[in-house]
Amino acid sequence: MEYIVYGVAAVLVSCLGVVLTIFDLPGNTLMVLATLALAVLTQPVLDMPYLGMVLLVYLLGELWEAGMSFFGIKKEKVSWTTVFVIGLGGFVGTVVGTGLFPILGSFIGGCIGAFLAAFGFTYLKSGNKKDALHLAWQAAKVRCLAMLGKMTAGFVLAFFLVKLAFSR
């Protein structure tokens, strides 16, 4: 009976974790902690290679998002201030998008926010509309790729959690 409870809890935590990740909140962290807790509760001997894979996927997702967010746009030879403004714009866009259109709105809002922040900041600095538009498109693409990578890691972590719960 307890395995059914663990399985249902794992499915619910996985769904919540994926939704939180889509909202740019710590859903992946929640799923890693739940996987570790489930392993401790249900396994007489911890499967360290399995837990290592879970941690590796988590770290890759976080590093992908951070790397793409910061260094993906940095290749456009912009200042760190511009990177910060674009990141802030992406975050604000995520929050606003979530309020307007839950779930997908956070993803779309993050891309639009990065686009608008990059365009506005660059245009105000340089006055060059063409350069501002180019950077804005790059910022939106980078934000999209960063979020897709982290969401992919979230889906894999959800799979690992549910697999562990039903592996008896």
Side-chain angles (χ1 to χ4, degrees), residues 11-22:
V11 168
L12 291 175
V13 169
S14 293
C15 290
L16 176 63
V18 167
V19 169
L20 287 173
T21 300
I22 291 171

Side-chain angles (χ1 to χ4, degrees), residues 21 24 28 60-73 75-76 86 106-108 110-112 114 136-154:
T21 300
D24 209 15
N28 288 358
L60 289 174
E62 296 299 315
L63 289 172
W64 175 266
E65 182 192 29
M68 285 301 295
S69 294
F70 291 114
F71 302 111
I73 198 64
K75 73 180 177 136
E76 294 295 319
I86 292 170
S106 58
F107 181 82
I108 295 166
C111 294
I112 291 172
W137 280 114
Q138 291 303 107
K141 287 191 281 186
V142 163
R143 178 72 178 181
C144 180
L145 286 173
M147 293 172 76
L148 284 175
K150 187 170 183 174
M151 282 191 270
T152 300

Side-chain angles (χ1 to χ4, degrees), residues 126-139:
S126 71
N128 186 330
K129 187 177 177 181
K130 183 179 175 186
D131 287 346
L133 195 55
H134 170 75
L135 185 65
W137 280 114
Q138 291 303 107

